[in-house]
Amino acid sequence: MNFLELVKIRQSVREYSNIPIEKETIDRCLEAARLSPSACNSQPWSFMIIDTPELRDKIARSTFNELVSFNKFSLNAPILVVVTATKGNLKTKVGQMITSIPYYLIDIGIAAEHFCLQAAEEGLGTCMIGWFNEKKIKKHLHMSKDKMVALLIAVGYPKSESIRNKKRKPISEMSTFNLTDL
Ligand SMILES: Cc1cc2nc3c(=O)[nH]c(=O)nc-3n(C[C@H](O)[C@H](O)[C@H](O)COP(=O)(O)O)c2cc1C
């Protein structure tokens, strides 16, 4: 599989089979995340793998409520990864103050996508989850105040093998060459 083929088979998976996931497989996903680039190489991420039923259930229940229920699928994910962020090292903190660009969140996004692409290569399905109750998750995981929960990733072997067509803007609407108008 070449890189573009891998990008095309990576899709958000919200229904999982109960095939167990080997630790070595998750380790390779973590290795892909570890090798991600980051502003000033600050590596402001950590990945907490949650796979014990009780804790996983608590984390899953922090991603939906009576009003917003679209993340209920997370209850059936064999693994939930909690991606936490610190605000980076001194250099990036100063850089962020000057430019107002939240480099640490860009870094988290890149590392999370590295994780998901390696997972796709392993035949695993993933779904990034950005809607959750951070306060609840921090409490369940006894997290310190200086860390934030930036993203969750649901992981499991997909129930179905079908790959959806991607709904995306055409290249002409998302890129320009030199000074041509969008
Ligand atoms: C930062 C981020 C947060 C997301 N949050 C959620 C979420 O809370 N729930 C969900 O079901 N999907 C979530 N998604 C998945 C997107 O809906 C999905 O990536 C997008 O619709 C494109 O579909 P695809 O991933 O299948 O290509 C999130 C994706 C990203 C990148």
Side-chain angles (χ1 to χ4, degrees), residues 10-12 14 70-71 73 127-131 151 164 166 168:
R10 199 269 341 134
Q11 62 184 357
S12 294
R14 299 179 179 87
F70 57 83
N71 282 334
F73 74 89
C127 186
M128 293 192 204
I129 299 178
W131 203 97
L151 196 66
R164 302 183 298 271
K166 298 238 180 286
R168 299 291 192 266

Side-chain angles (χ1 to χ4, degrees), residues 50-61 77-80:
I50 311 294
D51 64 356
T52 56
E54 200 187 325
L55 192 54
R56 200 187 50 203
D57 194 73
K58 283 182 185 166
I59 303 300
R61 287 180 192 284
I79 290 178
L80 289 174

